[in-house]
Amino acid sequence: MELFIQISQLLLCLSILVILHEAGHFFAAKYFKCRVEKFYLFFDPWFSLFKRKIGETEYGIGWLPLGGYVKISGMIDESLDTEQLKKDPQPWEFRSKPAWQRLIIMLAGIIVNIILAIVIYTGILYTTGEETINTQELKDGYVFSEAGKKLGFQDGDVILEVDHKPIPTLNYLPVSILFGDQVSVNRNGKIIHLDLLPEAKKYVLSSEGKSFISPRIISDVDSITPKSVASKHLKKGDIIVSINGMPIQYLDQLKKDLLTHKKDTVSLGILRGEKQVIEKIYVPDSAVLGFIPSANILKNATAYKKYSFLQALQRAPSLSWDMLLMQIKQFKIVLNPKTEAYKHVSGPLRLYQAFSPEWDWLHFWSFTAMFSIWLAFLNILPIPGLDGGHALFTIAEMITGRKLSDKAMEKVQMVGVIILLSLMVLVFGNDIWNIIQNIIKK
């Protein structure tokens, strides 16, 4: 059932994005009186799930959920259908329109993607607000996984700047580190500059790198799991200050020490009110005592901002821009072979994993907005076959006054198709490989 919910969210997300993106091209083409022969959700090689002709346009649903398309008369697209080009140009054809009109038609889908992201973020900010965690308040620094430590971090490091810029909120700190080149930290009162090497980032990108950084919190007791070891020895409000006589202050220190004392009895020094007591505790094989800390430093650093509709409308473009910059930096990581990020590029066979196994509308719309920005960025790339490729040649025509011949455009489109097919092979290959690896592990 969980898999069905995740796949359903993915299909709904793709349907919204594809329909609106292609609708941008469709209505722009119609506005400039171009004939639109087809409007398809998803691709339809060999057959379609549904099709119906209304007026001059055939509307349909394909079976391959990798995107969608509108087929405009007189345009050489990825279908490489050049039959119309053997005849004289007609007034309703794309090739007969002025360059500026063709440019608008090509960019219309991208513009719709950006507007959609702004609309979604406006709705989220207005209805839910925005949660931020102020990094300036996290004075105890951070705890790092083994992947984080391979980047050069140590537990307790206070991060000052990434690429010479302070990162004011924890929301963006992990991705800023991942996409950055250098980070400055305060380590025991000394300022240290760490180079973020791409060969070390591959560990952060792997499964072991999930949550490679988290705020450091003290080892106090806020709630206790019933029938756990902690329920027999600890009380709400306790602060664990030592283990076997060795002073500790933070939860990560306690966890590390407990792992070395599995199936052993330890003496915990506990500050209980104004008194310090010693509790002899048997450490189970899991090394988990069964309590939850208060994490007050994290709570105090967390702020929830509510927005009026006008404020949300003003903030949404900035949030969309942040997402766009993130996509650009992510692309830089993928293109660097040392990061091995290309191994983690997900396609349709694994993209469903980005959604919650329970239907979570906030997560759904947040992902849809982010993915809409990603599609806008992807389509603006100057690759033949994508909107950006068409736009590039049209802009060149507007500047030089010279238009590529239909034969040359056909060859350019062929190159674009080869590039796109190669990317699809990479994406599907990654998906299939990861699925096989997961089956083997199970």
Side-chain angles (χ1 to χ4, degrees), residues 168-394:
T169 68
L170 184 62
N171 312 56
Y172 293 109
L173 186 58
V175 292
S176 297
I177 292 172
L178 181 61
F179 300 148
D181 296 313
Q182 189 184 76
V183 62
S184 300
V185 304
N186 183 333
R187 182 176 295 169
N188 300 321
K190 184 178 180 181
I191 306 301
I192 296 176
H193 304 288
L194 303 174
D195 291 325
L196 301 170
L197 302 177
E199 51 266 34
K201 291 180 181 179
K202 68 182 179 182
Y203 299 105
V204 176
L205 292 166
S206 67
S207 58
E208 68 178 271
K210 292 181 179 178
S211 302
F212 74 95
I213 177 175
S214 57
R216 204 174 202 189
I217 57 178
I218 64 171
S219 53
D220 64 348
V221 180
D222 184 60
S223 61
I224 298 172
T225 304
K227 298 181 181 180
S228 64
V229 174
S231 66
K232 301 174 184 177
H233 301 277
L234 302 178
K235 295 181 180 180
K236 180 180 173 66
D238 283 353
I239 301 175
I240 301 172
V241 295
S242 69
I243 180 168
N244 288 340
M246 297 296 295
I248 62 170
Q249 185 177 358
Y250 300 105
L251 186 65
D252 61 283
Q253 295 173 323
L254 175 64
K255 288 181 176 180
K256 183 178 179 181
D257 285 342
L258 290 176
L259 285 171
T260 64
H261 291 90
K262 290 181 180 181
K263 297 183 178 180
D264 194 7
T265 299
V266 298
S267 297
L268 292 186
I270 298 168
L271 186 62
R272 184 170 290 163
E274 297 181 357
K275 296 181 180 180
Q276 185 166 327
V277 299
I278 302 294
E279 288 281 349
K280 299 279 188 179
I281 294 181
Y282 177 77
V283 182
D285 189 49
S286 65
V288 174
L289 300 185
F291 72 91
I292 298 174
S294 65
N296 282 328
I297 193 168
L298 184 58
K299 292 175 183 176
N300 294 335
T302 303
Y304 298 89
K305 184 173 182 180
K306 295 292 289 183
Y307 290 83
S308 67
F309 180 75
L310 184 58
Q311 289 173 329
L313 194 58
Q314 292 172 333
R315 168 67 177 138
S318 175
L319 195 56
S320 300
W321 177 251
D322 289 342
M323 289 297 110
L324 178 58
L325 292 179
M326 202 176 298
Q327 302 306 332
I328 295 172
K329 291 177 180 178
Q330 179 175 302
F331 199 68
K332 172 186 169 184
I333 290 284
V334 172
L335 290 178
N336 190 332
K338 291 182 179 179
T339 65
E340 297 186 0
Y342 60 88
K343 294 182 179 180
H344 307 285
V345 176
S346 295
L349 299 182
R350 287 189 297 150
L351 192 56
Y352 73 90
Q353 296 172 351
F355 293 92
S356 171
E358 297 179 356
W359 201 286
D360 184 338
W361 281 112
L362 178 59
H363 179 77
F364 171 84
W365 286 116
S366 297
F367 182 85
T368 301
M370 181 277 295
F371 203 39
S372 189
I373 291 292
W374 165 246
L375 288 178
F377 168 69
L378 190 66
N379 274 281
I380 201 65
L381 294 176
I383 299 175
L386 295 178
D387 297 341
H390 288 288
L392 178 65
F393 291 115
T394 306

Side-chain angles (χ1 to χ4, degrees), residues 91-102:
W92 61 79
E93 290 185 332
F94 179 82
R95 56 179 170 156
S96 300
K97 303 301 178 182
W100 68 271
Q101 292 185 7
R102 286 184 275 119

